Amino acid sequence: MRRKELTAKGKATRRRIVEGAAEVLREQGVGSVTLEDVMARTGTSKSQLFHYFPDGKDELLLAVARFEAEQVLEDQQPYLGRLDSWEDWRRWRDVVIDRYEAQGDTCPLGSLFLQVGRSTPGARAIVVELMRQWQESLAAGIRAVRADYGPGADVDVDARAAALLAAIQGGVSILLATGRSAHLRAALDQGIADLRRDLDPAAAATPR
């Protein structure tokens, strides 16, 4: 049975509930949050909550997971969307590190997926879409800086973007386990330095 399309007001209310739920989840942790907590934070009644999330808590958690995934990319703007120079890449690198250092040893998105389960319909699709958009943005940035070096600069754009994304995820995983960002910093610095060296033959040929 198809659900009715929400009005603009309904969409705004639903988003307010999702954002409020995200705040509560970050503060209390996924396992201890109840729908009553969300209702109290967002000023909604039980009937109103189930109007927007008929399947209850699991549907709300999926909506929050989608919101958190969007925030991962939003927090990297405007630099992720305009990696046109090495200075832009440096600024993007700083934003990524600042974001994950501020997050510390907790990951709202990861915690949500542990609670919902990646096998829940729609859960895996959220992760896949997040990674696709992130990798495509990195690939667009690599193409942008590659254009500055002419036809002699040849790298596998998609492979480099995938490697950078994997490096970030690896660094973040270690940060979550240890509370330290040194590996994330090293992974980003090395990945960007290798890319710049391979795109700029003159730089690669210059003795250190």
Side-chain angles (χ1 to χ4, degrees):
M1 184 175 177
R2 290 184 61 186
R3 297 180 183 178
K4 292 178 63 176
E5 180 71 20
L6 294 176
T7 63
K9 183 179 179 181
K11 289 177 181 178
T13 300
R14 187 181 188 278
R15 182 171 180 85
R16 177 173 58 80
I17 295 171
V18 171
E19 291 178 350
E23 292 174 359
V24 176
L25 289 165
R26 291 192 206 107
E27 293 170 5
Q28 298 181 205
V30 176
S32 63
V33 170
T34 65
L35 290 180
E36 286 71 23
D37 294 326
V38 176
M39 289 157 52
R41 175 63 61 92
T42 59
T44 53
S45 65
K46 192 169 186 178
S47 61
Q48 191 177 24
L49 193 68
F50 277 90
H51 171 73
Y52 292 105
F53 303 97
D55 294 333
K57 187 176 180 180
D58 281 353
E59 185 177 3
L60 175 59
L61 288 178
L62 275 177
V64 175
R66 189 172 293 107
F67 170 77
E68 292 287 10
E70 291 170 356
Q71 287 301 117
V72 169
L73 299 179
E74 183 64 28
D75 288 348
Q76 298 175 53
Q77 301 300 346
Y79 305 111
L80 182 61
R82 61 175 198 206
L83 295 170
D84 300 330
S85 69
W86 295 118
E87 178 62 20
D88 291 328
W89 278 85
R90 183 192 65 77
R91 290 175 178 171
W92 166 74
R93 172 257 190 210
D94 291 346
V95 165
V96 171
I97 291 172
D98 288 346
R99 180 194 193 279
Y100 284 107
E101 285 183 338
Q103 178 177 286
D105 58 1
T106 59
C107 177
L109 189 59
S111 297
L112 280 163
F113 284 117
L114 285 174
Q115 178 74 14
V116 176
R118 294 185 189 277
S119 61
T120 300
R124 186 175 294 273
I126 294 172
V127 178
V128 170
E129 179 62 14
L130 166 63
M131 296 303 165
R132 183 192 67 78
Q133 291 185 37
W134 200 344
Q135 184 172 326
E136 285 186 356
S137 295
L138 292 172
I142 294 171
R143 291 188 184 95
V145 291
R146 184 181 64 176
D148 292 336
Y149 296 101
D154 188 24
V155 297
D156 187 330
V157 172
D158 292 328
R160 289 303 181 95
L164 270 171
L165 183 53
I168 294 168
Q169 293 305 303
V172 170
S173 294
I174 295 175
L175 188 156
L176 292 174
T178 66
R180 299 182 178 181
S181 62
H183 292 82
L184 175 60
R185 289 173 174 271
L188 276 171
D189 289 344
Q190 190 64 52
I192 295 172
D194 288 347
L195 177 63
R196 187 170 187 175
R197 179 197 64 214
D198 292 342
L199 285 176
D200 188 352
T206 302
R208 299 192 173 206

